[in-house]
Amino acid sequence: MLTSALYRGAWHVVRAPQGRSLLAPAAASAAALCQHAPARLHTAAPAPRLGPSLPCSLVLPASARPLPRLVPSTASTAPAALAALAVPVASALHLVQSRSVASITTFPSRKDAGNREISVSEESKVIFDDVWSKVEEQMGRENMMFPKEIIWLMGAPGSGKGTQTPFINEARGITAPPIVMSDLLNDPAMVELKKRGELITDESVLLVLLKKLLEPQYEAGVVVDGFPRTKIQADCVKLLERYMYRLRSEHPPPRERAPAEEGVRYMRRPKFRVAVLFITEEESVDRQTSRAVAVREHNALVRATGQGELLPERPTDLDEDTARERYYTFKQHYATIENLKQFFNFSFINAQRPVPEVTRDILAEFAYQGMFELAEETHDAISGRVPLMSAVRKHARQELIRRLDTYQTTSTQTFERVLQLLDEEIVPKIRRNAISGYVIARVSNERTPLFRDDEAVEMAHDILTERGFFVTVDTMREGGDDVHVFHINFERTVLRAATKTVSKQTA
């Protein structure tokens, strides 16, 4: 029920620096979250996990009243359409200055993501179609295999995009280097345009980006730093996802692949995500100018000593007015891409805090979240049959106690015989191998008829587990007889502390 609600509605996850999270429907306004989320984040009790890395308390800040549980009637109050949390610059400044919110991630409705209506200007459509045709003609439609996952990264000057990108890659399992638009626009083709006095248009930027995205190294995923920046470019991101779905319909993943087709490539379901690292104007200016001072001091030392490498000095870091102009430009870009949260997972990250804290929250923010990443039918097929590891572990102790008590009360004689067997045959082996911390015990049905009863084997396993041993049991057929192999692990006994060779230190 919760899964269906999450897929059909649009939702926000608000994360506090301490790691607590709140789940809120997209109907919640920026004012509501600014007013109520910080208090709820700090007072919320430990909450259930919606995924391997997404602990949440279920609340509705729009009404400012927490709900004990989420039911379909509650979920329907969130608009099934693509309602989005408006985080304008004023609200964003409030959030980063209060330091009470680490990030806000918007998860839009993914129901029929490939067929939903998108709103783009006619000019954007014309430009995108023209560029797409050029790329298709140059590359061949059969070779247009775009990355499975694209993270569109934006950030205020000095927010730490270069510092945090490797951690985003780490969290997402992306091994390809990021595509940095400022570097891409300095490639030979772009430089030639500039030499001829031509403007770098949205069309030329999109063309060079799409061709770059088709490089095989990016097939599994990539971070694109600095795109989109204009309304047309934001429209083109929406159109790119739509066209990638069309390519996928032409090259769907096979249900059953014949051996001869093993090497055939196919389009995987595209996954777009937008991330914005936000800091205040004063913080941005301070970081830019401080960076300039640090670089100049470093370069002066290199020139004086002849040791080390010179670092590039950014002209924009040298002047406070120029630094403020860069921040003003960022605010314009932020306003442009804000409506993308209606279509893609959109992470607003408070980068005002110390770098280690931001890094920690980014690793949590971008960690795998099956409920929001898998297609609905895939998630339902898996979760309906295989429980989450965390759910299994949560109840494992209670289940173990219940089974042992049941053995004692309903199968008393068998339970006593298993205890006797362990005492006479298994425990002596454990004692002899106490130093190694590992025992293999083989028990055959022929020699020990008691273990012809599967419940007896389960009893032995559970008893040893309750005693603190880590046990697995393999049953195999040998010479017409079943043999049960107990692998018993436990903390080994240390006879001598490890010695370290200490080198002599010279003055």
Side-chain angles (χ1 to χ4, degrees):
M1 292 166 59
L2 174 58
T3 303
S4 297
L6 288 170
Y7 274 101
R8 289 182 173 82
W11 298 89
H12 309 298
V13 172
V14 186
R15 192 185 303 276
Q18 294 82 0
R20 291 187 183 276
S21 299
L22 296 177
L23 182 66
S29 66
L33 281 183
C34 289
Q35 180 180 357
H36 299 291
R40 300 246 181 246
L41 285 166
H42 290 289
T43 60
R49 300 180 74 87
L50 299 182
S53 60
L54 189 61
C56 284
S57 298
L58 307 182
V59 300
L60 288 175
S63 61
R65 291 194 301 270
L67 297 178
R69 57 197 291 258
L70 189 65
V71 295
S73 60
T74 302
S76 64
T77 62
L82 303 174
L85 169 69
V87 185
V89 172
S91 296
L93 289 173
H94 174 86
L95 289 173
V96 298
Q97 288 172 332
S98 69
R99 296 176 178 258
S100 58
V101 173
S103 62
I104 297 177
T105 297
T106 302
F107 294 93
S109 170
R110 290 190 13 250
K111 197 71 174 175
D112 300 322
N115 298 315
R116 62 190 170 200
E117 293 186 8
I118 58 175
S119 175
V120 299
S121 69
E122 185 61 31
E123 182 183 8
S124 301
K125 184 72 165 57
V126 170
I127 289 175
F128 186 87
D129 285 345
D130 182 54
V131 171
W132 184 269
S133 298
K134 291 178 181 178
V135 174
E136 186 175 335
E137 181 180 353
Q138 295 176 24
M139 308 297 295
R141 191 172 181 83
E142 69 280 1
N143 296 317
M144 294 179 70
M145 295 292 174
F146 286 94
K148 176 194 71 170
E149 178 175 13
I150 303 178
I151 298 173
W152 308 96
L153 178 64
M154 296 290 291
S159 61
K161 287 186 300 176
T163 300
Q164 301 300 344
T165 296
F167 297 105
I168 295 176
N169 281 348
E170 177 185 338
R172 298 307 305 162
I174 296 174
T175 57
I179 296 176
V180 181
M181 292 306 298
S182 58
D183 295 340
L184 199 60
L185 297 180
N186 286 323
D187 78 349
M190 294 292 104
V191 172
E192 185 60 31
L193 283 177
K194 296 174 186 176
K195 286 182 177 178
R196 295 201 301 263
E198 299 182 24
L199 294 175
I200 304 298
T201 63
D202 288 319
E203 184 173 4
S204 58
V205 171
L206 182 63
L207 179 60
V208 71
L209 174 59
L210 292 190
K211 292 171 67 175
K212 188 70 174 179
L213 287 171
L214 289 174
E215 293 184 7
Q217 64 175 327
Y218 300 119
E219 190 168 335
V222 64
V223 174
V224 178
D225 178 350
F227 190 95
R229 292 178 181 270
T230 67
K231 176 66 169 63
I232 288 177
Q233 291 177 8
D235 284 348
C236 288
V237 169
K238 291 183 277 187
L239 289 166
L240 176 60
E241 186 203 38
R242 172 60 51 83
Y243 281 47
M244 287 172 65
Y245 268 106
R246 291 180 184 175
L247 286 175
R248 187 173 188 263
S249 67
E250 298 172 13
H251 305 283
R255 297 297 179 187
E256 294 183 9
R257 189 183 294 287
E261 298 179 311
E262 282 296 329
V264 176
R265 300 168 70 195
Y266 63 91
M267 277 286 294
R268 289 177 284 186
R269 183 172 61 89
K271 185 191 307 175
F272 283 13
R273 182 167 188 159
V274 181
V276 179
L277 300 179
F278 201 100
I279 58 178
T280 64
E281 180 176 350
E282 293 306 317
E283 182 72 13
S284 174
V285 172
D286 181 66
R287 290 185 185 185
Q288 290 180 76
T289 53
S290 297
R291 180 171 57 196
V293 172
V295 169
R296 280 185 291 184
E297 290 178 351
H298 170 83
N299 288 345
L301 183 61
V302 170
R303 294 187 183 99
T305 62
Q307 297 180 356
E309 296 183 2
L310 294 174
L311 297 177
E313 296 186 23
R314 305 185 189 187
T316 53
D317 289 351
L318 302 176
D319 179 69
E320 181 176 326
D321 291 338
T322 306
R324 292 190 184 279
E325 288 177 10
R326 290 188 69 207
Y327 188 85
Y328 177 74
T329 301
F330 157 73
K331 287 198 295 185
Q332 291 179 311
H333 296 162
Y334 178 66
T336 297
I337 67 172
E338 208 180 357
N339 73 343
L340 291 180
K341 65 166 60 74
Q342 301 179 31
F343 304 94
F344 315 118
N345 293 359
F346 190 105
S347 294
F348 170 92
I349 299 168
N350 178 0
Q352 186 88 353
R353 297 163 299 128
V355 171
E357 292 184 21
V358 178
T359 298
R360 180 196 63 204
D361 289 321
I362 279 178
L363 290 173
E365 187 73 26
F366 286 86
Y368 174 74
Q369 299 165 4
M371 180 173 292
F372 293 111
E373 299 189 34
L374 294 173
E376 182 177 6
E377 59 273 15
T378 306
H379 183 273
D380 288 347
I382 295 173
S383 61
R385 298 188 179 187
V386 182
L388 280 173
M389 177 271 293
S390 57
V392 173
R393 290 185 59 187
K394 180 178 180 181
H395 303 292
R397 180 179 177 181
Q398 291 86 343
E399 287 297 311
L400 175 64
I401 293 171
R402 181 191 60 78
R403 290 196 303 269
L404 288 170
D405 287 341
T406 302
Y407 299 149
Q408 173 65 24
T409 55
T410 63
S411 305
T412 307
Q413 291 185 353
T414 302
F415 191 59
E416 288 294 333
R417 292 174 64 193
V418 170
L419 285 170
Q420 183 179 356
L421 172 70
L422 293 175
D423 182 38
E424 295 176 354
E425 297 192 22
I426 304 297
V427 172
K429 293 181 179 180
I430 292 175
R431 294 186 188 280
R432 285 196 298 272
N433 291 275
I435 294 176
S436 67
Y438 178 59
V439 173
I440 298 179
R442 297 167 59 88
V443 184
S444 68
N445 284 355
E446 182 177 1
R447 180 170 174 271
T448 310
L450 172 65
F451 273 14
R452 289 184 178 139
D453 183 354
D454 290 339
E455 187 182 42
V457 179
E458 294 172 1
M459 287 182 185
H461 179 280
D462 286 346
I463 292 169
L464 290 170
T465 299
E466 193 279 333
R467 294 287 84 189
F469 300 100
F470 302 96
V471 184
T472 58
V473 182
D474 294 327
T475 300
M476 56 191 68
R477 195 76 176 170
E478 291 184 1
D481 187 24
D482 284 339
V483 177
H484 309 283
V485 183
F486 287 74
H487 300 270
I488 307 171
N489 291 271
F490 49 96
E491 187 175 355
R492 67 187 183 91
T493 301
V494 179
L495 287 181
R496 297 183 180 88
T499 58
K500 296 182 180 180
T501 302
V502 180
S503 60
K504 295 182 179 179
Q505 296 184 0
T506 58

